[in-house]
Amino acid sequence: MMAGVGGGNDFQWCFSQVKGAIDEDVAEADIISTVEFNYSGELLATGDKGGRVVIFQREQESKNRQVSRGEYNVYSTFQSHEPEFDYLKSLEIEEKINKIRWLPQQNAAHFLLSANDKTIKLWKISERDKRAEGYNLKDEDGRLRDPFRITTLRVPVLMPMDLMVEASPRRIFANAHTYHINSISVNSDYETYLSADDLRINLWHLEITDRSFNIVDIKPANMEELTEVITAAECHPHQCNVFVYSSSKGTIRLCDMRAAALCDRHSKFFEEPEDPSSRSFFSEIISSISDVKFSHSGRYMMTRDYLSVKVWDLNMENRPVETYQVHEYLRSKLCSLYENDCIFDKFECCWNGSDSAIMTGSYNNFFRMFDRNTRRDITLEASRENSKPRAMLKPRKVCTGGKRKKDEISVDSLDFNKKILHTAWHPKENVIAVAATNNLYIFQDKMN
Amino acid sequence: MSGSLSALFDHVSAVGEGNAGMSPMLQAPVILVGWPRRQGVLVSVLWLSTLDFLFGAKHVLQGHQALQRQSLLDMSLIKLQLCHMLVEPNLCRSVLIANTVRQIQEEMTHDGSWHMVTEAFCGTGQSPSERLVATEVLCRSREQDAEPKLFSVISYEGCREEEVVADETLCSVSVSDTVSNVCLAGRMGQCWEKSELSGVERDEEALEDSREDEEVDTEDGASTEGPKTIGQVFGTFEIKNGSPGPDSALEELFSDVDTSYYDLDTMLTGMQSAPKMGPYDLLDSLAPSHSSPSIVSTPNCRSDLNELDHIMEIIVGS
């Protein structure tokens, strides 16, 4: 039995919690579209297709329960984006939250950026657990008192009240994107952030909403010549002048904002030469990069294309240093996957806190983890059947041909409607959040 | 994946690579049992079996590959057609499909089989550009239809329900599959049965006159028809957000927005690339081929036009 992956220790992944409805009928609005831990891991935010954001907070660890760590409970729920109608194009603007990114915490309140296709909003989430009582000029129910009737003065006293978590939009960054926003990324200066759509990348200042700087523009003068789009972008975790963006042709460009105001010319260009023997009509589509993530160290970056995850050393442009096959058994099914549009699914990927392991999703509610040191990989499933508290997850295996063993599942039996596109790894601990359609699964390790 | 068109071709090509001969013939009827509507495919598979018998393994393999490539091309064109959605289509997906179409066209041009395809197109009374233009019209007509309805943000949700149903009908798997199968069968029929072409060619001239106006408007002078029409498909992305939303709560936030974002050039480009013919013009141009008995077209071609008719009806809402 293969041991768990991540962190270098031998450990097993266990079920911790699942959030969301159990119904077979999934409401479209409940489909989770993004998952993100904050910098401390104390908060976990999800966005859904209905434009809502749900934030979970980890409860304080209780000393007597050593096996499982604190659970995540709902902390705040709010409607971030509403559906809009673009009158000029006669098209709807979806309220679906494409990305959530947390800002580092600087005071008692928490801040996050949430983006739909066109608009980014900065939300402040603050707690209120005290209330002032004993005002002079108004009653407890808020009615103003007649000043002439006041005979004595008193000092208002802060009294505890039930915890109230308020979310308020502090900034709205709108009207800067013609095309659909696919990425937002907070810069390491904590003052600026970038937002990327299919053809342009803009740099914003968190305080300024009425203008942004366009730093990348790949729109051709003649739209008929369009053959490549931007698929993801991210700021470097330490160098505030560096960012990368990936394309639908499987390339990554690293840009330095010190070089020019418009970073159309890259500083580095990452592309793996194509293997001519595996060329097909689908080669370009499956090479399209759906996600790019810097490692926490800033030395590496990881890209996800349809069938694999690649780790790149920023100092080497001509090929990745590591390649992991996520579901190579799908290579012979590409035509069917093209027909049912699954080939266009955008899977995300993530690093663990120490950059020793990476994780990404697949179909049939499977997700995969790769240990970079031991080169071991594991396939796990997010399902209600394995949802007993602290139940250990059993590794899954897909049978690619020949005789199917007892616990294996054949490729043709995979459910392509159950796809895990969004996963997140706690920044410090071995706790992972996996979004399976409308359910959020939280798994954690069990130290041996 | 059972019951999908591509599964058949995955299977057939896999078998073809081994010993071709009688095995496809024996296998084919078993696969088709569950597919009552795919007569076109049945025709093509039976035809392949005959080819099999006549020309031997090597030619069958080439036939399979050509078939696969053709079905992929059809699938891609159908996917590009489905832009009459309520929500703006995904640009990345459209670009990837368009690139795939270009790739197939390039390869077919190298092979010389693109020439055959264009002949086949002419045979059915529609050139490739017209076929793709027709799809653009389908996209545009959707917008023209929607424009007069000025929804307020509050009340449009009620209307949205209906439109979504209509769009689901259009986008539903059964409709698109039927269309793709009919197209495939129609074109396939033309490809293999070249004798039909001579009969249809004389009617091409009659149709050409009625369509000349539209052709002049839609041709940009681009050398290939594919990219031009793909440009028109991308043209729907050109129009920028003109006005802020009607939501009064956000109006004050938008009041000091820098209007230099609104690029008039791209807006005008988007407007100019819109084809001048409306949905009814398309029907008119097709009408002669429907009603006139002098036009010889295969039964598959007629059902092809019936499908187009059907789709137009749904869009127009009649």
Side-chain angles (χ1 to χ4, degrees), chain A residues 57-248:
Chain A
Q57 184 189 41
R58 202 178 199 188
E59 66 184 22
Q60 297 300 320
E61 278 181 38
S62 53
K63 301 296 175 194
N64 45 353
R65 279 172 48 167
Q66 291 205 334
V67 182
S68 71
R69 302 199 188 87
E71 287 196 338
Y72 284 86
N73 301 316
V74 177
Y75 180 64
S76 173
T77 304
F78 56 93
Q79 186 76 33
S80 171
H81 287 73
E82 297 276 1
E84 286 172 47
F85 195 73
D86 182 341
Y87 287 81
L88 207 57
K89 293 195 212 181
S90 294
L91 290 169
E92 257 190 38
I93 298 170
E94 279 189 318
E95 66 273 32
K96 172 170 75 94
I97 309 293
N98 292 334
K99 280 288 176 337
I100 289 174
R101 289 288 182 264
W102 289 93
L103 265 57
Q105 193 176 7
Q106 288 170 325
N107 53 34
H110 298 276
F111 288 86
L112 61 78
L113 289 168
S114 71
N116 73 342
D117 283 339
K118 300 284 184 184
T119 306
I120 306 137
K121 296 188 184 180
L122 175 69
W123 287 89
K124 175 181 177 184
I125 298 104
S126 49
E127 289 183 11
R128 193 190 293 222
D129 61 354
K130 290 182 184 54
R131 186 180 62 207
E133 283 179 26
Y135 283 101
N136 291 294
L137 291 177
K138 59 181 180 183
D139 288 338
E140 294 311 317
D141 52 8
R143 275 186 308 187
L144 292 174
R145 291 167 77 186
D146 186 358
F148 293 106
R149 300 258 224 91
I150 298 168
T151 52
T152 58
L153 285 178
R154 55 186 177 173
V155 176
V157 177
L158 287 174
M159 301 297 289
M161 61 178 253
D162 289 339
L163 179 66
M164 201 165 71
V165 181
E166 299 171 318
S168 58
R170 305 302 286 181
R171 305 274 186 277
I172 296 181
F173 306 91
N175 293 336
H177 286 282
T178 310
Y179 306 97
H180 292 176
I181 296 174
N182 52 52
S183 314
I184 51 175
S185 179
V186 181
N187 211 343
S188 52
D189 60 10
Y190 302 151
E191 280 188 356
T192 57
Y193 74 95
L194 63 75
S195 61
D197 66 27
D198 294 316
L199 297 177
R200 296 191 178 100
I201 302 180
N202 294 331
L203 184 72
W204 300 83
H205 191 284
L206 284 164
E207 298 291 326
I208 299 167
T209 59
D210 62 354
R211 75 190 77 125
S212 67
F213 289 101
N214 176 242
I215 51 177
V216 172
D217 188 342
I218 64 166
K219 180 167 170 248
N222 187 356
M223 277 296 268
E224 292 167 13
E225 292 162 8
L226 180 66
T227 55
E228 193 174 9
V229 299
I230 297 170
T231 50
E234 202 182 37
C235 291
H236 191 278
H238 308 307
Q239 295 169 34
C240 58
N241 53 299
V242 171
F243 67 94
V244 292
Y245 68 93
S246 61
S247 82
S248 56

Side-chain angles (χ1 to χ4, degrees), chain A residues 83-95 117-118 121 172 174-180 198-200 204 210-212 219 223-229 231 248-249 279-282 284-285 288 332-333 335-341 344 346 412 416, chain B residues 1 4-7 10 69 72 75-76 79 85-89 91-93 95-97 99-100 102-104 107 143 146-147 150-153 156-157 160 177 220 227-228 231 234 236-242 246 250 253-254 256-258 261-262 266-267:
Chain A
E84 286 172 47
F85 195 73
D86 182 341
Y87 287 81
L88 207 57
K89 293 195 212 181
S90 294
L91 290 169
E92 257 190 38
I93 298 170
E94 279 189 318
E95 66 273 32
D117 283 339
K118 300 284 184 184
K121 296 188 184 180
I172 296 181
N175 293 336
H177 286 282
T178 310
Y179 306 97
H180 292 176
D198 294 316
L199 297 177
R200 296 191 178 100
W204 300 83
D210 62 354
R211 75 190 77 125
S212 67
K219 180 167 170 248
M223 277 296 268
E224 292 167 13
E225 292 162 8
L226 180 66
T227 55
E228 193 174 9
V229 299
T231 50
S248 56
K249 288 199 169 172
R279 176 134 188 87
S280 75
F281 286 120
F282 305 109
E284 187 186 312
I285 299 178
S288 173
S332 55
K333 306 282 175 190
C335 193
S336 309
L337 294 164
Y338 180 70
E339 189 184 20
N340 64 13
D341 266 8
F344 300 109
K346 292 193 192 289
D412 295 315
F416 288 86
Chain B
M1 293 291 155
S4 75
L5 191 64
S6 50
D10 283 341
R69 199 169 53 188
L72 190 60
M75 221 193 297
S76 306
K79 283 181 186 296
M85 295 185 274
L86 202 59
V87 183
E88 204 168 352
L91 181 61
C92 181
R93 178 178 171 273
V95 166
L96 289 172
I97 297 171
N99 289 350
T100 309
R102 275 197 202 100
Q103 209 185 323
I104 297 172
E107 205 181 280
E143 285 177 20
E147 260 163 39
L150 289 173
F151 306 119
S152 73
V153 173
Y156 89 96
E157 259 138 16
R160 183 163 52 153
D177 271 356
D220 283 345
K228 173 199 70 166
F234 292 151
T236 59
F237 298 103
E238 284 296 298
I239 304 167
K240 273 190 130 125
N241 286 331
L250 292 172
L253 286 159
F254 294 131
D256 56 346
V257 166
D258 187 3
Y261 289 141
Y262 309 141
T266 56
M267 201 168 83

Side-chain angles (χ1 to χ4, degrees), chain A residues 344-363:
Chain A
F344 300 109
D345 286 335
K346 292 193 192 289
F347 292 94
E348 292 175 7
C349 53
C350 60
W351 299 84
N352 72 342
S354 58
D355 297 338
S356 63
I358 57 183
M359 170 168 64
T360 189
S362 177
Y363 293 105

